[in-house]
Amino acid sequence: MPSPKTERSTKDIGQVIGELKKGLVEFRTDGRASCTPLFGRASFDEKSLKDNLQALIRSVAEKKPEEGVKGRYIRKVSIATTMGPGIALDLNEVTAVAEAEA
């Protein structure tokens, strides 16, 4: 259901439409702490996909809670098309991207 808390219902429609046109993407975790956001389409070129993935990883790393999380925050990363098999990414490279901005 739409709710102002999740920003699915708002009185400032113009601002939300502007943010969506600029590329606003929401993501959240499920009960198993898995995050499955969209970061591109098959029609995107390689550079755009890479830039979007790096921005997504940085954003997830920035959202790490200060308290309650011990050890590695990002444990595994894989990418896939909607109905395709997942491709595991090298965790060291992924965390290096996240730590480069921190």
Side-chain angles (χ1 to χ4, degrees), residues 25-101:
V25 175
E26 288 183 355
F27 59 90
R28 62 180 138 195
T29 60
D30 62 11
R32 299 180 315 153
S34 295
C35 181
T36 56
L38 172 73
F39 71 91
R41 303 207 178 270
S43 61
F44 287 13
D45 63 17
E46 184 178 336
K47 182 177 180 340
S48 296
L49 287 171
K50 184 177 179 180
D51 291 344
N52 287 352
L53 180 59
Q54 288 176 340
L56 175 67
I57 291 168
R58 274 190 236 109
S59 181
V60 169
E62 288 171 2
K63 303 288 185 201
K64 177 181 178 181
E66 294 294 323
E67 297 177 11
V69 177
K70 297 179 182 175
R72 282 195 127 144
Y73 188 59
I74 300 174
R75 293 186 182 180
K76 181 170 42 168
V77 177
S78 63
I79 59 174
T81 60
T82 302
M83 297 300 289
I87 300 168
L89 301 182
D90 181 14
L91 189 59
N92 293 326
E93 288 184 28
V94 169
T95 54
V97 168
E99 291 170 355
E101 292 293 318

